[in-house]
Amino acid sequence: MNTTLREVAVGGLLLTTLLLYTPFAPPLLSQTLCLTAFVYVGTLCVQHKSEFRIHRGTLLALTTLLVLYGSHLALNPNLPGLLRVPAYVLSAVVLVILLPEAIPKRSFLLSLGVVGLSMSVLALLLAPFPAFRWKPGSGFVIKSIFQNPQSLGVIAGAGVWGLVPQTIRGKRRRVAAAGLALCLVVIVLAENRSILLGLTGGFAVVFAQRYWGALASVPVVAIGAVGSLVVFGIVFNILPGPTALATYDLNNRVPLWIAAVEAVSQSPRALLFGYGAGNMSQLLEPYIVGRTPSGPHNGYLRMLLNTGVLGLLAYLRIQLGALNCLRTAVSVNELTIVGLLVTFMIADLFGSVTFFGFSTDTFLLAGATGYALRMTINDDESIPSAVPSD
């Protein structure tokens, strides 16, 4: 597979996920195109790679999650599950296993940079028109052509990380740096605070890794994780803390998180195995007063709802395995993958991301996870990759 085809394939797959958020493409058409793109890219990867590698622990954890989804569907057939479970399987296999083995990191990141910058420029061009603003009359808050207010910040965040290697060592560094700055401006104007928080964490880890080594980056990750747990403990009134933080609902997310915990605590079976790939809003609705929820807005709680404690532990096993790449990440592209991974792991706290599905969020988190896992395999096996890593 030549380099141009790789980049076009990855960029095309990323663009099709954006169709799911636009009002211009009928839902059935956008979903069909997205499915077609996943199948096409998966086929390309299989054709150009004879052997695919994955850690046994990661493979066991991923298999556990897919078996849980399949078992729920077999025991309780339902339309949402029939549509989602095949999509979950396809997206996880293509993004976590196939893509990182067949397509180099540099092609993946370049595709993110091109698509992210292109959509950011489009957003700024359309922003002066009230119809393309998320909240007309509430200031210069833009959403471009997207119905989901978070999607613009997500794709601009991808543009930031995709342009990092070009800014550091590309032939047109000034142009790439200007594009990176533009993507940051778009994230601010789109008011995507979770991506801004994720970028802060991602760059902190990368800088620690780059200038002080893995011994410094690991404590940074640990401090961030413990800090997050403390904040959530205060928000849930488990730990003492400032009143302002204890009463802050994180843009109406805290009631959704409490509802998710209440829903999964209804029975030992639900707590252990979850409810499967059904309609999460229906699960949460009995525990929310006055409005219909769209989901838990937390990827980890989404996994808890879908697959229970067993699935959540398997999911965390995969994420922690991916973070092992901190031990060996050295090159610009490797460090960029680390930053992308940390960014969307943090964003996963505030949106129902995970790496199961066809959304743009899924594409970025699952892709970063897959490339990070592959970096740890290369180090452990000390085998030169058949595909250039950089």
Side-chain angles (χ1 to χ4, degrees):
M1 196 190 313
N2 62 53
T3 302
T4 302
L5 181 57
R6 290 174 184 143
E7 291 161 1
V8 169
V10 175
L13 179 57
L14 178 56
L15 283 172
T16 56
T17 65
L18 291 172
L19 289 175
L20 299 172
Y21 297 115
T22 67
F24 306 109
L28 182 59
L29 175 62
S30 61
Q31 292 167 8
T32 302
L33 290 174
C34 198
L35 173 62
T36 303
F38 266 89
V39 172
Y40 174 70
V41 171
T43 302
L44 280 179
C45 292
V46 170
Q47 288 177 346
H48 292 84
K49 186 72 177 176
S50 59
E51 182 181 355
F52 297 93
R53 300 162 298 159
I54 187 170
H55 277 300
R56 290 181 180 178
T58 301
L59 181 61
L60 177 61
L62 185 59
T63 301
T64 299
L65 288 168
L66 295 179
V67 167
L68 284 169
Y69 279 120
S71 299
H72 278 295
L73 184 59
L75 295 173
N76 182 30
N78 59 85
L79 184 58
L82 289 170
L83 294 175
R84 291 173 183 171
V85 171
Y88 288 1
V89 174
L90 181 60
S91 64
V93 171
V94 170
L95 296 175
V96 178
I97 300 176
L98 303 185
L99 198 70
E101 285 289 322
I103 295 178
K105 289 186 287 291
R106 65 167 176 262
S107 296
F108 175 75
L109 292 171
L110 184 58
S111 300
L112 297 189
V114 171
V115 175
L117 178 58
S118 299
M119 299 309 297
S120 296
V121 170
L122 178 62
L124 288 176
L125 292 175
L126 295 177
F129 302 96
F132 294 107
R133 298 197 194 163
W134 176 238
K135 300 174 182 177
S138 63
F140 199 69
V141 180
I142 61 176
K143 67 165 185 173
S144 185
I145 61 175
F146 301 119
Q147 290 176 307
N148 188 322
Q150 301 299 312
S151 57
L152 178 57
V154 167
I155 195 63
V160 168
W161 284 115
L163 290 168
V164 164
Q166 301 301 316
T167 300
I168 294 175
R169 67 177 190 184
K171 294 181 179 179
R172 296 183 176 86
R173 297 182 182 179
R174 293 183 180 179
V175 174
L180 191 155
L182 187 147
C183 289
L184 286 173
V185 169
V186 167
I187 295 171
V188 173
L189 293 178
E191 293 189 343
N192 193 319
R193 290 180 287 273
S194 63
I195 293 297
L196 285 172
L197 183 61
L199 286 172
T200 302
F203 276 110
V205 171
V206 168
F207 279 123
Q209 177 83 354
R210 174 66 179 82
Y211 294 105
W212 298 297
L215 291 178
S217 64
V218 172
V220 170
V221 172
I223 291 171
V226 172
S228 299
L229 291 175
V230 170
V231 169
F232 281 102
I234 295 173
V235 167
F236 280 96
N237 293 316
I238 298 174
L239 299 174
T243 303
L245 184 58
T247 57
Y248 185 43
D249 68 356
L250 294 171
N251 199 22
N252 294 320
R253 281 175 169 80
V254 173
L256 294 175
W257 295 346
I258 294 174
V261 173
E262 290 179 347
V264 82
S265 301
Q266 293 306 300
S267 69
R269 179 178 176 180
L271 183 61
L272 188 59
F273 300 109
Y275 291 97
N279 193 329
M280 288 183 291
S281 62
Q282 291 181 353
L283 289 174
L284 299 183
E285 193 167 4
Y287 308 97
I288 298 291
V289 178
R291 66 190 179 95
T292 301
S294 58
H297 282 273
N298 182 298
Y300 303 97
L301 289 178
R302 175 183 171 183
M303 293 305 304
L304 182 65
L305 274 170
N306 286 352
T307 59
V309 171
L310 182 61
L312 178 60
L313 291 176
Y315 182 65
L316 292 174
R317 167 64 181 84
I318 296 173
Q319 296 291 55
L320 291 175
L323 282 175
N324 269 330
C325 68
L326 286 169
R327 295 183 297 123
T328 57
V330 175
S331 72
V332 172
N333 288 331
E334 289 175 343
L335 290 172
T336 302
I337 291 295
V338 170
L340 182 68
L341 173 67
V342 172
T343 295
F344 282 93
M345 285 182 67
I346 293 173
D348 202 8
L349 292 169
F350 305 98
S352 298
V353 183
T354 76
F355 42 72
F356 294 104
F358 287 163
S359 71
T360 311
D361 312 63
T362 292
F363 181 98
L364 298 168
L365 178 62
T369 300
Y371 280 97
L373 288 169
R374 183 175 179 274
M375 287 158 54
T376 65
I377 292 173
N378 287 344
D379 175 66
D380 290 346
E381 297 183 354
S382 299
I383 298 175
S385 173
V387 177
S389 62
D390 287 322

